Amino acid sequence: EDKVVQSPLSLVVHEGDTVTLNCSYEVTNFRSLLWYKQEKKAPTFLFMLTSSGIEKKSGRLSSILDKKELSSILNITATQTGDSAIYLCAVEAYNAGNNRKLIWGLGTSLAVNP
Amino acid sequence: GAGVSQTPSNKVTEKGKYVELRCDPISGHTALYWYRQSLGQGPEFLIYFQGTGAADDSGLPNDRFFAVRPEGSVSTLKIQRTERGDSAVYLCASSLTRGREQYFGPGTRLTVL
């Protein structure tokens, strides 16, 4: 069965710290891996990764995919209280009917204390 | 519009009632997805539309759930004979086309009493 596992489940840091969030997956017919930030109700898109070894960067956030290890990391440098959220990892794969769907991890709950 | 919009933002209903949840995707996005999310869980896939047709409805939990997208834009998720277990946040997402990143609406929080 396809699955996405994120670690740690929760993390508490101080402002200015750097954090690394992990996402590993076991899926057949991998298509892409996506990171989302969820603060209130809806996830906000961060990154989409399809190729191994190519880092995507947006401000203090960066992410990279390792297809050999079936994993991805999301880095946040110089954390701020506004980074407090649940970070969701999702893997897009083909299902049995050859349709694409997202398989979601449970998320990492990040709390950044001032 | 600038983003995906969903109405209502909150819906409280009684067990056994019928509800409709609406999603207005980003203009020009052909793919539309419905998810539901319970507390502490990741979004659970329900159904995916490509244009007007339901390309994948394998996530609908049972025949009380139905969704339409008659003109390839706005979609309505319909739940008949609601049960307490249907309580969740129902999220809609759209993407430019299949395989592109999905952008989510704010969700509808459904509470079934």
Side-chain angles (χ1 to χ4, degrees):
Chain A
E1 184 181 342
D2 295 337
K3 64 179 180 181
V4 175
V5 178
Q6 291 185 244
S7 63
L9 286 181
S10 66
L11 190 57
V12 181
V13 300
H14 291 291
E15 265 192 319
D17 288 351
T18 293
V19 298
T20 299
L21 311 183
N22 299 281
C23 176
S24 63
Y25 59 90
E26 291 179 26
V27 302
T28 51
N29 301 314
F30 173 90
R31 168 83 174 84
S32 64
L33 185 145
L34 301 99
W35 284 98
Y36 286 84
K37 178 182 181 182
Q38 188 170 25
E39 292 175 274
K40 294 179 179 177
K41 283 193 285 188
T44 303
F45 172 76
L46 295 175
F47 298 111
M48 181 178 189
L49 306 161
T50 55
S51 300
S52 221
I54 298 175
E55 184 183 54
K56 291 214 172 176
K57 198 168 171 63
S58 176
R60 295 176 295 101
L61 277 67
S62 63
S63 184
I64 195 162
L65 175 67
D66 186 337
K67 284 187 178 178
K68 190 175 176 184
E69 296 296 325
L70 305 183
S71 66
S72 173
I73 59 170
L74 175 69
N75 277 320
I76 309 174
T77 59
T79 52
Q80 303 171 356
T81 55
D83 295 328
S84 297
I86 296 173
Y87 289 84
L88 290 166
C89 172
V91 171
E92 190 173 30
Y94 292 101
N95 67 6
N98 209 36
N99 291 307
R100 290 176 177 144
K101 63 170 53 173
L102 286 179
I103 302 118
W104 293 85
L106 293 181
T108 292
S109 178
L110 174 65
V112 181
N113 293 329
Chain B
V4 179
S5 61
Q6 291 185 245
T7 55
S9 55
N10 283 284
K11 176 71 178 177
V12 180
T13 191
E14 292 179 344
K15 181 174 178 292
K17 298 290 188 184
Y18 168 82
V19 297
E20 288 190 353
L21 312 179
R22 177 189 165 108
C23 172
D24 203 335
I26 293 172
S27 178
H29 280 196
T30 63
L32 185 146
Y33 306 79
W34 282 100
Y35 298 86
R36 70 177 176 182
Q37 187 174 22
S38 300
L39 197 63
Q41 302 291 319
E44 171 194 2
F45 170 77
L46 296 177
I47 186 169
Y48 151 60
F49 287 90
Q50 182 61 45
T52 60
D56 183 357
D57 64 358
S58 62
L60 295 177
N62 52 60
D63 62 6
R64 296 186 297 104
F65 288 75
F66 187 70
V68 295
R69 194 186 185 199
E71 297 178 0
S73 178
V74 170
S75 176
T76 305
L77 178 66
K78 308 180 181 191
I79 311 174
Q80 297 178 317
R81 304 184 303 280
T82 51
E83 299 177 356
R84 292 195 180 88
D86 297 336
S87 297
V89 175
Y90 287 80
L91 295 167
C92 175
S94 71
S95 64
L96 190 59
T97 185
R98 286 177 62 180
R100 299 291 295 271
E101 62 273 17
Q102 299 177 25
Y103 294 88
F104 284 81
T108 294
R109 182 177 298 280
L110 175 66
T111 304
V112 182
L113 301 176

